[in-house]
Amino acid sequence: MLNTKIAGIGHYVPSRIISNKDLESVMDTTDEWIQERTGIQERRYGIPHKETTTTMAARAAEIAIERAGISKEDIDFIIFATLSPDYFFPGCGVLLQRELKITKTECAALDIRNQCSGFIYGLSVADQFIKTGHYKNILLVGAEMHSMGLDFTTRGRNVTVIFGDGAGAVILQASETNNDGVLSTHIHSDGTYAEELAFINPGCHGGYHLGTEKFGYQNNTYGGIFLTQKMWEEEDIYPNMNGQLVFKTAITKFPEVIQEALQKSNYSVSDIDLLIPHQANLRISQFIQKKLGLSDDKVFNNIQKYGNTTAASIPIALSEAWEQGKVKDGDLVCLAAFGSGFTWGSALIKW
Ligand code: UT7
């Protein structure tokens, strides 16, 4: 039986730092409020019209590829998790293939739209392809350019202050030894609350279409097939979040799905060397740590510097932890995420 191992890891964050004070200058918020409620001190924003989700992903991928000691042409499959793609379609997977100049057409590309748990879902998909021997080298990326889709007025402050840009990537290969690598992945969803953390426009749910009133659609003088004048005028074109519901559900689901992973491999919480929770809110991470009774050195957080980078948050944190020597051979590493959908998941890795 083949196991999946992480053969190389890398991350990229844009150089532009946006502090809480910077946000104070455009909306009614305070550094004190943001730090007290979320732990975030600053985040990174890509350079508009120069950097994109795909270009950031490429920089992270190049580091992971180099560290894995493979060439770009060795990659068989690209899995790209993002909620802020360059285009409505095609997905970022093929754009990344082009950006990396991977020319072989045997390489496949898949986009994953699972928001905060996108990286765990991607790892779960990759794990199946490695375990069956179907692919040898899989590039899994989580990347986001949130800054291009946030509401920078006071109306959007509960969402906007949380999010930042960045990318993280791993190269996944079959492990040559037994009992290491990805021990298990666990993925869940509950669509009941789909609109409670969502970016619903543009989308076909509105039923608007340019110039085809004959078939029952409403005309849209703004020209976009899924955006209407009304949406534009009411600024119903940004993400929305029921923060309290998301927070309450997250602090229940995180510990549950971590325990599920531990039980599957007959481990207990005390066996965890490092927990890397999705960086949603420092208060959520602290709640999980307390609930599980983990010491500070067993939980990795970097949301203070980068904010919530959604699908990128786990690979960025894992990459930083590895660079800082906090992930060593033989360590038991647990990854866990919860977010929009709602979707959530965990993975247990023997490094
Ligand atoms: O990764 C995706 C998953 N997302 C999450 O896990 C996020 C989970 N939720 C949260 O992190 C928190 O709910 C937030 C940080 C988003 C908000 O914190 P909260 O303690 O739940 O605040 P709230 O939404 O209940 O708002 C409390 C007050 C309100 O004012 P009033 O009505 O009490 O006068 C808000 O208008 O804080 C106000 N507020 C702000 N004030 C200053 C909301 N956002 C801001 C802001 N600056 N940025």
Side-chain angles (χ1 to χ4, degrees), residues 130-163:
I130 297 274
K131 274 189 171 133
T132 53
H134 195 85
Y135 288 128
K136 283 196 169 61
N137 292 296
I138 298 181
L139 169 61
L140 168 62
V141 182
E144 304 287 359
M145 183 127 171
H146 286 306
S147 57
M148 290 297 276
L150 295 172
D151 179 355
F152 287 105
T153 69
T154 297
R155 211 185 67 144
R157 64 183 179 174
N158 69 318
V159 172
T160 300
V161 300
I162 295 175
F163 293 100

PDB file of all heavy atoms in Angstrom, residues 130-163:
ATOM      1  N   ILE A 130      -2.361   9.126  -5.523  1.00  0.00           N
ATOM      2  CA  ILE A 130      -1.016   8.611  -5.197  1.00  0.00           C
ATOM      3  C   ILE A 130      -1.131   7.172  -4.701  1.00  0.00           C
ATOM      4  O   ILE A 130      -0.376   6.290  -5.130  1.00  0.00           O
ATOM      5  CB  ILE A 130      -0.337   9.502  -4.127  1.00  0.00           C
ATOM      6  CG1 ILE A 130      -0.120  10.917  -4.643  1.00  0.00           C
ATOM      7  CG2 ILE A 130       0.952   8.852  -3.612  1.00  0.00           C
ATOM      8  CD1 ILE A 130       1.131  11.184  -5.427  1.00  0.00           C
ATOM      9  N   LYS A 131      -2.101   6.941  -3.807  1.00  0.00           N
ATOM     10  CA  LYS A 131      -2.258   5.609  -3.200  1.00  0.00           C
ATOM     11  C   LYS A 131      -2.511   4.519  -4.247  1.00  0.00           C
ATOM     12  O   LYS A 131      -2.091   3.385  -4.084  1.00  0.00           O
ATOM     13  CB  LYS A 131      -3.434   5.622  -2.213  1.00  0.00           C
ATOM     14  CG  LYS A 131      -3.024   6.089  -0.836  1.00  0.00           C
ATOM     15  CD  LYS A 131      -4.164   5.867   0.117  1.00  0.00           C
ATOM     16  CE  LYS A 131      -3.726   6.110   1.533  1.00  0.00           C
ATOM     17  NZ  LYS A 131      -4.681   6.946   2.259  1.00  0.00           N
ATOM     18  N   THR A 132      -3.244   4.894  -5.285  1.00  0.00           N
ATOM     19  CA  THR A 132      -3.551   3.905  -6.321  1.00  0.00           C
ATOM     20  C   THR A 132      -2.415   3.790  -7.342  1.00  0.00           C
ATOM     21  O   THR A 132      -2.500   2.993  -8.280  1.00  0.00           O
ATOM     22  CB  THR A 132      -4.843   4.301  -7.074  1.00  0.00           C
ATOM     23  OG1 THR A 132      -4.694   5.638  -7.545  1.00  0.00           O
ATOM     24  CG2 THR A 132      -6.068   4.185  -6.197  1.00  0.00           C
ATOM     25  N   GLY A 133      -1.391   4.623  -7.191  1.00  0.00           N
ATOM     26  CA  GLY A 133      -0.259   4.577  -8.115  1.00  0.00           C
ATOM     27  C   GLY A 133      -0.541   5.270  -9.435  1.00  0.00           C
ATOM     28  O   GLY A 133       0.243   5.159 -10.383  1.00  0.00           O
ATOM     29  N   HIS A 134      -1.665   5.996  -9.514  1.00  0.00           N
ATOM     30  CA  HIS A 134      -2.057   6.633 -10.774  1.00  0.00           C
ATOM     31  C   HIS A 134      -1.105   7.766 -11.155  1.00  0.00           C
ATOM     32  O   HIS A 134      -0.768   7.927 -12.315  1.00  0.00           O
ATOM     33  CB  HIS A 134      -3.486   7.144 -10.660  1.00  0.00           C
ATOM     34  CG  HIS A 134      -4.105   7.491 -11.969  1.00  0.00           C
ATOM     35  ND1 HIS A 134      -4.724   6.555 -12.758  1.00  0.00           N
ATOM     36  CD2 HIS A 134      -4.165   8.658 -12.644  1.00  0.00           C
ATOM     37  CE1 HIS A 134      -5.155   7.142 -13.859  1.00  0.00           C
ATOM     38  NE2 HIS A 134      -4.830   8.412 -13.817  1.00  0.00           N
ATOM     39  N   TYR A 135      -0.730   8.579 -10.170  1.00  0.00           N
ATOM     40  CA  TYR A 135       0.202   9.689 -10.432  1.00  0.00           C
ATOM     41  C   TYR A 135       1.393   9.607  -9.492  1.00  0.00           C
ATOM     42  O   TYR A 135       1.256   9.198  -8.347  1.00  0.00           O
ATOM     43  CB  TYR A 135      -0.495  11.039 -10.217  1.00  0.00           C
ATOM     44  CG  TYR A 135      -1.502  11.399 -11.284  1.00  0.00           C
ATOM     45  CD1 TYR A 135      -2.798  11.780 -10.927  1.00  0.00           C
ATOM     46  CD2 TYR A 135      -1.162  11.373 -12.632  1.00  0.00           C
ATOM     47  CE1 TYR A 135      -3.726  12.116 -11.894  1.00  0.00           C
ATOM     48  CE2 TYR A 135      -2.103  11.712 -13.607  1.00  0.00           C
ATOM     49  CZ  TYR A 135      -3.377  12.080 -13.234  1.00  0.00           C
ATOM     50  OH  TYR A 135      -4.296  12.416 -14.193  1.00  0.00           O
ATOM     51  N   LYS A 136       2.550  10.067  -9.983  1.00  0.00           N
ATOM     52  CA  LYS A 136       3.792  10.044  -9.176  1.00  0.00           C
ATOM     53  C   LYS A 136       4.063  11.388  -8.500  1.00  0.00           C
ATOM     54  O   LYS A 136       4.503  11.442  -7.367  1.00  0.00           O
ATOM     55  CB  LYS A 136       4.988   9.699 -10.078  1.00  0.00           C
ATOM     56  CG  LYS A 136       5.096   8.242 -10.445  1.00  0.00           C
ATOM     57  CD  LYS A 136       6.500   7.937 -10.985  1.00  0.00           C
ATOM     58  CE  LYS A 136       6.746   6.451 -11.117  1.00  0.00           C
ATOM     59  NZ  LYS A 136       5.799   5.808 -12.048  1.00  0.00           N
ATOM     60  N   ASN A 137       3.831  12.486  -9.216  1.00  0.00           N
ATOM     61  CA  ASN A 137       4.126  13.827  -8.676  1.00  0.00           C
ATOM     62  C   ASN A 137       2.900  14.725  -8.846  1.00  0.00           C
ATOM     63  O   ASN A 137       2.521  15.052  -9.972  1.00  0.00           O
ATOM     64  CB  ASN A 137       5.296  14.472  -9.428  1.00  0.00           C
ATOM     65  CG  ASN A 137       6.596  13.756  -9.153  1.00  0.00           C
ATOM     66  OD1 ASN A 137       7.082  13.740  -8.021  1.00  0.00           O
ATOM     67  ND2 ASN A 137       7.162  13.140 -10.185  1.00  0.00           N
ATOM     68  N   ILE A 138       2.321  15.103  -7.714  1.00  0.00           N
ATOM     69  CA  ILE A 138       1.154  15.989  -7.771  1.00  0.00           C
ATOM     70  C   ILE A 138       1.532  17.328  -7.140  1.00  0.00           C
ATOM     71  O   ILE A 138       2.117  17.376  -6.053  1.00  0.00           O
ATOM     72  CB  ILE A 138      -0.054  15.371  -7.039  1.00  0.00           C
ATOM     73  CG1 ILE A 138      -0.458  14.057  -7.717  1.00  0.00           C
ATOM     74  CG2 ILE A 138      -1.223  16.355  -6.994  1.00  0.00           C
ATOM     75  CD1 ILE A 138      -1.650  13.351  -7.111  1.00  0.00           C
ATOM     76  N   LEU A 139       1.199  18.403  -7.854  1.00  0.00           N
ATOM     77  CA  LEU A 139       1.384  19.752  -7.316  1.00  0.00           C
ATOM     78  C   LEU A 139       0.042  20.225  -6.769  1.00  0.00           C
ATOM     79  O   LEU A 139      -0.929  20.360  -7.510  1.00  0.00           O
ATOM     80  CB  LEU A 139       1.861  20.690  -8.441  1.00  0.00           C
ATOM     81  CG  LEU A 139       1.858  22.195  -8.135  1.00  0.00           C
ATOM     82  CD1 LEU A 139       2.774  22.539  -6.962  1.00  0.00           C
ATOM     83  CD2 LEU A 139       2.247  22.999  -9.378  1.00  0.00           C
ATOM     84  N   LEU A 140       0.005  20.416  -5.448  1.00  0.00           N
ATOM     85  CA  LEU A 140      -1.219  20.911  -4.801  1.00  0.00           C
ATOM     86  C   LEU A 140      -0.946  22.323  -4.298  1.00  0.00           C
ATOM     87  O   LEU A 140       0.023  22.557  -3.568  1.00  0.00           O
ATOM     88  CB  LEU A 140      -1.593  19.986  -3.631  1.00  0.00           C
ATOM     89  CG  LEU A 140      -2.668  20.504  -2.671  1.00  0.00           C
ATOM     90  CD1 LEU A 140      -4.003  20.727  -3.372  1.00  0.00           C
ATOM     91  CD2 LEU A 140      -2.852  19.514  -1.501  1.00  0.00           C
ATOM     92  N   VAL A 141      -1.820  23.241  -4.702  1.00  0.00           N
ATOM     93  CA  VAL A 141      -1.627  24.653  -4.365  1.00  0.00           C
ATOM     94  C   VAL A 141      -2.888  25.224  -3.731  1.00  0.00           C
ATOM     95  O   VAL A 141      -4.005  24.883  -4.136  1.00  0.00           O
ATOM     96  CB  VAL A 141      -1.337  25.466  -5.663  1.00  0.00           C
ATOM     97  CG1 VAL A 141      -1.086  26.917  -5.340  1.00  0.00           C
ATOM     98  CG2 VAL A 141      -0.162  24.907  -6.404  1.00  0.00           C
ATOM     99  N   GLY A 142      -2.704  26.088  -2.744  1.00  0.00           N
ATOM    100  CA  GLY A 142      -3.804  26.916  -2.238  1.00  0.00           C
ATOM    101  C   GLY A 142      -3.363  28.351  -2.408  1.00  0.00           C
ATOM    102  O   GLY A 142      -2.273  28.722  -1.947  1.00  0.00           O
ATOM    103  N   ALA A 143      -4.155  29.168  -3.083  1.00  0.00           N
ATOM    104  CA  ALA A 143      -3.731  30.560  -3.316  1.00  0.00           C
ATOM    105  C   ALA A 143      -4.954  31.472  -3.360  1.00  0.00           C
ATOM    106  O   ALA A 143      -6.032  31.063  -3.803  1.00  0.00           O
ATOM    107  CB  ALA A 143      -2.950  30.666  -4.634  1.00  0.00           C
ATOM    108  N   GLU A 144      -4.771  32.695  -2.898  1.00  0.00           N
ATOM    109  CA  GLU A 144      -5.883  33.657  -2.893  1.00  0.00           C
ATOM    110  C   GLU A 144      -5.386  35.068  -3.140  1.00  0.00           C
ATOM    111  O   GLU A 144      -4.355  35.474  -2.598  1.00  0.00           O
ATOM    112  CB  GLU A 144      -6.597  33.686  -1.513  1.00  0.00           C
ATOM    113  CG  GLU A 144      -7.115  32.369  -1.005  1.00  0.00           C
ATOM    114  CD  GLU A 144      -8.359  31.846  -1.716  1.00  0.00           C
ATOM    115  OE1 GLU A 144      -8.878  32.527  -2.627  1.00  0.00           O
ATOM    116  OE2 GLU A 144      -8.808  30.747  -1.343  1.00  0.00           O
ATOM    117  N   MET A 145      -6.149  35.803  -3.948  1.00  0.00           N
ATOM    118  CA  MET A 145      -5.927  37.250  -4.067  1.00  0.00           C
ATOM    119  C   MET A 145      -7.241  37.912  -3.634  1.00  0.00           C
ATOM    120  O   MET A 145      -8.005  38.438  -4.442  1.00  0.00           O
ATOM    121  CB  MET A 145      -5.560  37.630  -5.498  1.00  0.00           C
ATOM    122  CG  MET A 145      -5.262  39.104  -5.628  1.00  0.00           C
ATOM    123  SD  MET A 145      -3.676  39.408  -6.383  1.00  0.00           S
ATOM    124  CE  MET A 145      -3.760  41.177  -6.640  1.00  0.00           C
ATOM    125  N   HIS A 146      -7.491  37.854  -2.325  1.00  0.00           N
ATOM    126  CA  HIS A 146      -8.738  38.403  -1.777  1.00  0.00           C
ATOM    127  C   HIS A 146      -8.869  39.899  -2.013  1.00  0.00           C
ATOM    128  O   HIS A 146      -9.977  40.418  -2.157  1.00  0.00           O
ATOM    129  CB  HIS A 146      -8.768  38.192  -0.264  1.00  0.00           C
ATOM    130  CG  HIS A 146      -9.034  36.786   0.138  1.00  0.00           C
ATOM    131  ND1 HIS A 146     -10.112  36.084  -0.315  1.00  0.00           N
ATOM    132  CD2 HIS A 146      -8.374  35.956   0.983  1.00  0.00           C
ATOM    133  CE1 HIS A 146     -10.103  34.874   0.231  1.00  0.00           C
ATOM    134  NE2 HIS A 146      -9.054  34.768   1.013  1.00  0.00           N
ATOM    135  N   SER A 147      -7.719  40.583  -1.990  1.00  0.00           N
ATOM    136  CA  SER A 147      -7.756  42.051  -1.976  1.00  0.00           C
ATOM    137  C   SER A 147      -8.495  42.637  -3.180  1.00  0.00           C
ATOM    138  O   SER A 147      -8.992  43.756  -3.113  1.00  0.00           O
ATOM    139  CB  SER A 147      -6.339  42.607  -1.917  1.00  0.00           C
ATOM    140  OG  SER A 147      -5.589  42.118  -3.009  1.00  0.00           O
ATOM    141  N   MET A 148      -8.596  41.870  -4.282  1.00  0.00           N
ATOM    142  CA  MET A 148      -9.291  42.382  -5.466  1.00  0.00           C
ATOM    143  C   MET A 148     -10.812  42.295  -5.333  1.00  0.00           C
ATOM    144  O   MET A 148     -11.526  42.824  -6.188  1.00  0.00           O
ATOM    145  CB  MET A 148      -8.853  41.602  -6.714  1.00  0.00           C
ATOM    146  CG  MET A 148      -7.431  41.872  -7.150  1.00  0.00           C
ATOM    147  SD  MET A 148      -7.148  43.584  -7.636  1.00  0.00           S
ATOM    148  CE  MET A 148      -7.712  43.566  -9.338  1.00  0.00           C
ATOM    149  N   GLY A 149     -11.312  41.620  -4.280  1.00  0.00           N
ATOM    150  CA  GLY A 149     -12.769  41.442  -4.190  1.00  0.00           C
ATOM    151  C   GLY A 149     -13.349  41.842  -2.839  1.00  0.00           C
ATOM    152  O   GLY A 149     -14.366  41.295  -2.416  1.00  0.00           O
ATOM    153  N   LEU A 150     -12.692  42.775  -2.135  1.00  0.00           N
ATOM    154  CA  LEU A 150     -13.188  43.169  -0.812  1.00  0.00           C
ATOM    155  C   LEU A 150     -13.851  44.541  -0.856  1.00  0.00           C
ATOM    156  O   LEU A 150     -13.500  45.384  -1.684  1.00  0.00           O
ATOM    157  CB  LEU A 150     -12.020  43.193   0.191  1.00  0.00           C
ATOM    158  CG  LEU A 150     -11.369  41.841   0.486  1.00  0.00           C
ATOM    159  CD1 LEU A 150     -10.113  42.022   1.326  1.00  0.00           C
ATOM    160  CD2 LEU A 150     -12.350  40.894   1.182  1.00  0.00           C
ATOM    161  N   ASP A 151     -14.791  44.746   0.049  1.00  0.00           N
ATOM    162  CA  ASP A 151     -15.489  46.020   0.163  1.00  0.00           C
ATOM    163  C   ASP A 151     -14.701  46.903   1.145  1.00  0.00           C
ATOM    164  O   ASP A 151     -14.681  46.628   2.344  1.00  0.00           O
ATOM    165  CB  ASP A 151     -16.908  45.743   0.697  1.00  0.00           C
ATOM    166  CG  ASP A 151     -17.727  47.000   0.882  1.00  0.00           C
ATOM    167  OD1 ASP A 151     -17.179  48.107   0.689  1.00  0.00           O
ATOM    168  OD2 ASP A 151     -18.918  46.872   1.245  1.00  0.00           O
ATOM    169  N   PHE A 152     -14.065  47.938   0.631  1.00  0.00           N
ATOM    170  CA  PHE A 152     -13.220  48.768   1.486  1.00  0.00           C
ATOM    171  C   PHE A 152     -13.980  49.939   2.116  1.00  0.00           C
ATOM    172  O   PHE A 152     -13.367  50.873   2.616  1.00  0.00           O
ATOM    173  CB  PHE A 152     -11.988  49.256   0.714  1.00  0.00           C
ATOM    174  CG  PHE A 152     -10.990  48.145   0.486  1.00  0.00           C
ATOM    175  CD1 PHE A 152     -10.853  47.553  -0.759  1.00  0.00           C
ATOM    176  CD2 PHE A 152     -10.225  47.664   1.534  1.00  0.00           C
ATOM    177  CE1 PHE A 152      -9.961  46.509  -0.960  1.00  0.00           C
ATOM    178  CE2 PHE A 152      -9.337  46.620   1.344  1.00  0.00           C
ATOM    179  CZ  PHE A 152      -9.195  46.043   0.099  1.00  0.00           C
ATOM    180  N   THR A 153     -15.331  49.850   2.117  1.00  0.00           N
ATOM    181  CA  THR A 153     -16.094  50.849   2.861  1.00  0.00           C
ATOM    182  C   THR A 153     -16.441  50.231   4.218  1.00  0.00           C
ATOM    183  O   THR A 153     -16.300  49.024   4.418  1.00  0.00           O
ATOM    184  CB  THR A 153     -17.401  51.226   2.132  1.00  0.00           C
ATOM    185  OG1 THR A 153     -18.290  50.081   2.183  1.00  0.00           O
ATOM    186  CG2 THR A 153     -17.153  51.602   0.676  1.00  0.00           C
ATOM    187  N   THR A 154     -16.962  51.044   5.122  1.00  0.00           N
ATOM    188  CA  THR A 154     -17.297  50.576   6.462  1.00  0.00           C
ATOM    189  C   THR A 154     -18.311  49.425   6.412  1.00  0.00           C
ATOM    190  O   THR A 154     -18.292  48.525   7.254  1.00  0.00           O
ATOM    191  CB  THR A 154     -17.836  51.758   7.307  1.00  0.00           C
ATOM    192  OG1 THR A 154     -16.776  52.699   7.431  1.00  0.00           O
ATOM    193  CG2 THR A 154     -18.297  51.324   8.693  1.00  0.00           C
ATOM    194  N   ARG A 155     -19.157  49.424   5.400  1.00  0.00           N
ATOM    195  CA  ARG A 155     -20.156  48.355   5.260  1.00  0.00           C
ATOM    196  C   ARG A 155     -19.523  46.965   5.246  1.00  0.00           C
ATOM    197  O   ARG A 155     -20.089  46.001   5.749  1.00  0.00           O
ATOM    198  CB  ARG A 155     -20.934  48.588   3.953  1.00  0.00           C
ATOM    199  CG  ARG A 155     -22.359  48.107   3.986  1.00  0.00           C
ATOM    200  CD  ARG A 155     -22.957  48.271   2.620  1.00  0.00           C
ATOM    201  NE  ARG A 155     -22.309  47.369   1.677  1.00  0.00           N
ATOM    202  CZ  ARG A 155     -22.937  46.766   0.682  1.00  0.00           C
ATOM    203  NH1 ARG A 155     -24.220  46.969   0.504  1.00  0.00           N
ATOM    204  NH2 ARG A 155     -22.288  45.976  -0.137  1.00  0.00           N
ATOM    205  N   GLY A 156     -18.326  46.861   4.686  1.00  0.00           N
ATOM    206  CA  GLY A 156     -17.699  45.540   4.547  1.00  0.00           C
ATOM    207  C   GLY A 156     -16.682  45.228   5.628  1.00  0.00           C
ATOM    208  O   GLY A 156     -15.958  44.232   5.528  1.00  0.00           O
ATOM    209  N   ARG A 157     -16.638  46.046   6.686  1.00  0.00           N
ATOM    210  CA  ARG A 157     -15.500  45.947   7.621  1.00  0.00           C
ATOM    211  C   ARG A 157     -15.385  44.606   8.337  1.00  0.00           C
ATOM    212  O   ARG A 157     -14.294  44.156   8.639  1.00  0.00           O
ATOM    213  CB  ARG A 157     -15.561  47.082   8.643  1.00  0.00           C
ATOM    214  CG  ARG A 157     -16.770  47.038   9.562  1.00  0.00           C
ATOM    215  CD  ARG A 157     -16.800  48.232  10.500  1.00  0.00           C
ATOM    216  NE  ARG A 157     -17.991  48.177  11.355  1.00  0.00           N
ATOM    217  CZ  ARG A 157     -18.234  49.014  12.335  1.00  0.00           C
ATOM    218  NH1 ARG A 157     -17.393  49.993  12.596  1.00  0.00           N
ATOM    219  NH2 ARG A 157     -19.341  48.877  13.055  1.00  0.00           N
ATOM    220  N   ASN A 158     -16.539  43.954   8.634  1.00  0.00           N
ATOM    221  CA  ASN A 158     -16.442  42.687   9.388  1.00  0.00           C
ATOM    222  C   ASN A 158     -15.762  41.591   8.574  1.00  0.00           C
ATOM    223  O   ASN A 158     -15.152  40.685   9.120  1.00  0.00           O
ATOM    224  CB  ASN A 158     -17.829  42.220   9.879  1.00  0.00           C
ATOM    225  CG  ASN A 158     -18.712  41.769   8.743  1.00  0.00           C
ATOM    226  OD1 ASN A 158     -18.734  42.411   7.685  1.00  0.00           O
ATOM    227  ND2 ASN A 158     -19.413  40.681   8.919  1.00  0.00           N
ATOM    228  N   VAL A 159     -15.828  41.706   7.244  1.00  0.00           N
ATOM    229  CA  VAL A 159     -15.189  40.718   6.358  1.00  0.00           C
ATOM    230  C   VAL A 159     -13.792  41.199   5.957  1.00  0.00           C
ATOM    231  O   VAL A 159     -12.802  40.487   6.080  1.00  0.00           O
ATOM    232  CB  VAL A 159     -16.038  40.494   5.083  1.00  0.00           C
ATOM    233  CG1 VAL A 159     -15.300  39.622   4.075  1.00  0.00           C
ATOM    234  CG2 VAL A 159     -17.386  39.868   5.424  1.00  0.00           C
ATOM    235  N   THR A 160     -13.726  42.451   5.505  1.00  0.00           N
ATOM    236  CA  THR A 160     -12.510  42.957   4.860  1.00  0.00           C
ATOM    237  C   THR A 160     -11.280  42.927   5.761  1.00  0.00           C
ATOM    238  O   THR A 160     -10.184  42.580   5.312  1.00  0.00           O
ATOM    239  CB  THR A 160     -12.772  44.385   4.331  1.00  0.00           C
ATOM    240  OG1 THR A 160     -13.839  44.283   3.385  1.00  0.00           O
ATOM    241  CG2 THR A 160     -11.544  44.975   3.654  1.00  0.00           C
ATOM    242  N   VAL A 161     -11.448  43.260   7.035  1.00  0.00           N
ATOM    243  CA  VAL A 161     -10.257  43.344   7.913  1.00  0.00           C
ATOM    244  C   VAL A 161      -9.598  41.985   8.136  1.00  0.00           C
ATOM    245  O   VAL A 161      -8.439  41.913   8.538  1.00  0.00           O
ATOM    246  CB  VAL A 161     -10.601  43.992   9.277  1.00  0.00           C
ATOM    247  CG1 VAL A 161     -11.147  45.402   9.077  1.00  0.00           C
ATOM    248  CG2 VAL A 161     -11.567  43.138  10.101  1.00  0.00           C
ATOM    249  N   ILE A 162     -10.341  40.918   7.885  1.00  0.00           N
ATOM    250  CA  ILE A 162      -9.822  39.576   8.181  1.00  0.00           C
ATOM    251  C   ILE A 162      -8.892  39.044   7.088  1.00  0.00           C
ATOM    252  O   ILE A 162      -7.938  38.330   7.385  1.00  0.00           O
ATOM    253  CB  ILE A 162     -11.010  38.586   8.345  1.00  0.00           C
ATOM    254  CG1 ILE A 162     -11.835  38.974   9.551  1.00  0.00           C
ATOM    255  CG2 ILE A 162     -10.526  37.160   8.480  1.00  0.00           C
ATOM    256  CD1 ILE A 162     -13.079  38.121   9.709  1.00  0.00           C
ATOM    257  N   PHE A 163      -9.180  39.382   5.822  1.00  0.00           N
ATOM    258  CA  PHE A 163      -8.572  38.621   4.729  1.00  0.00           C
ATOM    259  C   PHE A 163      -7.288  39.220   4.147  1.00  0.00           C
ATOM    260  O   PHE A 163      -7.101  40.433   4.115  1.00  0.00           O
ATOM    261  CB  PHE A 163      -9.599  38.389   3.622  1.00  0.00           C
ATOM    262  CG  PHE A 163     -10.707  37.468   4.067  1.00  0.00           C
ATOM    263  CD1 PHE A 163     -11.938  37.958   4.479  1.00  0.00           C
ATOM    264  CD2 PHE A 163     -10.477  36.101   4.136  1.00  0.00           C
ATOM    265  CE1 PHE A 163     -12.940  37.103   4.927  1.00  0.00           C
ATOM    266  CE2 PHE A 163     -11.473  35.245   4.583  1.00  0.00           C
ATOM    267  CZ  PHE A 163     -12.706  35.739   4.981  1.00  0.00           C
TER     268      PHE A 163
END
